[in-house]
Amino acid sequence: MKILACNSNRPLAEAIAEYLTMSITKAVIRRFSDMEVFVEIHENVRGEDVFVIQSTCYPANDNLMELLVTLDALRRGSARRITAVIPYFGYARQDRKSSPRSPISAKLVANLITTAGADRVVTLDLHSGQIQGFFDIPLDNLYAAPVFTNDIRARYQGDDVMVVSPDVGGVVRARAIARRIDADLAIIDKRREKAGVSEVMNIIGDVRGRRCIMVDDIVDSAGTLCNAAEALMKAGAVSVAAFVTHGVLSGGAVARVTASPLEELVITDSIPATEAVKLAHNIRQVTIAPLMAESIQRISEERSVSSLFD
C-alpha cells in the first residue's frame, strides 16, 4: 500500500500517514508558468495499492485538476488499484437540476474521476446520498458521527442536550447523532428565497432550557447556522453549538460566526483551516485522520469499513 498526497490538504495526509506508520510517496505536483498542472511520481507504483488524498475545496477547480492528473499518472504507471480519498467532495451541492437548463455537476465530476483512472472512491459525509449512484465504481461514504459523538460526550456529559437539524434535509444525519448520545431531536423549518440566503420560519420541538447542538454536513456562508442559532436562543435555549463536517466558510462567514450567538462551531479538518478560522474564538477543528486512516487500512486489507460505524 502507498499513500500519495496532493496539495489541497497536506496536513491531513501527513496525519493519516503517521497514523498508519507510513511515509508519503515521493512525488512532485506543481504548476507550469501558465498554471497547467504537472505531476511526476518519483517512486515505483507498478502493482501497488495506491491511495490519493485530495480534498476538492477552494480553489476547487485547481484541486480537482490536480486529482485528475495524479490519477492519470498512477494509471499510466501501472498501479494495481487506485483509490481517490476525497475528504471533501466539491460540487456535491450541484446534485440535481435546480432550474431549467442547469447542470448536474456532481455527476460530471464523478465521470471525470472515473475516466481519469480511479478504481474506488472514499469520501466523507456526502451532501446527499444519491451522489453514490453517480459513480460506476465502488464508493465508501464515511461519516463524521463517531468523531462528533465522542467530542459531544466529553464536553456535554450530564447536560440536558437536544440535537437540532438546521433544515429538514439534514434530519437523518441529526437523528443518527441524537441516537448515539441518547438525546431528543428538534428541527428548524426554514424557507430559502435564493441561494446563500435563508430565513428561519419555525422550530419543531421544545428547546426551552436545553443546550442545543446543531448538526450539519457543510457550513459555507454560515447564514443558515447563525439565523438558526438566533431563533433557538429566542425560543429559550440555554446555549447553541454547531457540529459541521465540512467548514467551507467562504466570504465573511468567519466574521458572521464570531458575531453570532453560537457558543462554538466545531468543524473537521476535511478542509484545511484558514488563518481567520484559527484565530476565531468560537471555531474549533477536530481531526478525522484516525477515521480516514482506519478506513484506508481496512480497504487495503479487504476488511469491512461499515463496521466502523456500528
Side-chain angles (χ1 to χ4, degrees), residues 1-266:
M1 179 173 68
K2 285 186 179 291
I3 301 289
L4 198 153
C6 295
N7 294 324
S8 73
N9 201 340
R10 191 86 187 183
L12 176 60
E14 289 171 353
I16 290 171
E18 183 180 352
Y19 184 93
L20 295 170
T21 61
M22 296 177 61
S23 57
I24 293 175
T25 300
K26 293 175 184 174
V28 171
I29 302 171
R30 59 183 175 85
R31 302 286 193 277
F32 289 129
S33 57
D34 63 352
M35 298 309 290
E36 278 186 14
V37 176
F38 174 72
V39 175
E40 190 173 25
I41 299 162
H42 291 165
E43 292 184 24
N44 180 27
V45 295
R46 186 179 297 273
E48 295 281 1
D49 190 9
V50 186
F51 292 82
V52 184
I53 301 171
Q54 175 80 330
S55 284
T56 51
C57 51
Y58 176 85
N61 299 329
D62 286 2
N63 288 329
L64 176 59
M65 201 65 203
E66 270 190 18
L67 174 62
L68 298 175
V69 176
T70 303
L71 293 173
D72 186 71
L74 289 168
R75 180 169 61 89
R76 295 176 189 279
S78 300
R80 176 174 59 85
R81 181 172 66 176
I82 307 165
T83 302
V85 181
I86 311 172
Y88 171 66
F89 184 82
Y91 286 97
R93 286 172 284 180
Q94 298 184 50
D95 58 353
R96 65 197 182 281
K97 287 191 67 169
S98 55
S99 60
R101 296 169 298 283
S102 62
I104 305 179
S105 302
K107 170 59 176 169
L108 172 62
V109 171
N111 289 345
L112 290 170
I113 290 169
T114 305
T115 302
D119 299 300
R120 189 181 199 96
V121 171
V122 177
T123 188
L124 179 73
D125 273 337
L126 277 174
H127 183 61
S128 56
Q130 70 259 28
I131 295 174
Q132 297 174 66
F134 293 173
F135 287 88
D136 294 325
I137 56 177
L139 182 143
D140 292 294
N141 183 30
L142 310 180
Y143 303 100
V147 178
F148 285 160
T149 300
N150 292 338
D151 197 82
I152 291 168
R153 283 175 178 155
R155 289 179 170 266
Y156 295 90
Q157 190 73 39
D159 292 338
D160 190 6
V161 170
M162 175 171 265
V163 175
V164 180
S165 173
D167 53 40
V168 175
V171 170
V172 173
R173 187 179 296 106
R175 187 187 293 123
I177 296 281
R179 190 185 302 118
R180 283 173 176 267
I181 64 172
D182 194 24
D184 293 331
L185 179 67
I187 303 167
I188 303 286
D189 169 40
K190 74 174 191 299
R191 181 176 301 163
R192 188 184 296 275
E193 300 297 338
K194 60 180 180 178
V197 179
S198 65
E199 179 185 359
V200 173
M201 301 295 291
N202 200 5
I203 298 172
I204 304 169
D206 186 4
V207 300
R208 283 175 296 180
R210 314 292 288 272
R211 297 196 69 181
C212 293
I213 298 174
M214 288 190 287
V215 177
D216 210 350
D217 64 322
I218 297 175
V219 53
D220 188 351
S221 65
T224 295
L225 278 186
C226 294
N227 289 347
E230 289 176 9
L232 289 167
M233 292 300 289
K234 287 178 182 176
V238 173
S239 65
V240 182
F243 283 73
V244 184
T245 307
H246 307 297
V248 176
L249 296 171
S250 60
V254 174
R256 197 171 290 116
V257 170
T258 54
S260 76
L262 278 171
E263 179 182 64
E264 187 177 42
L265 169 61
V266 181

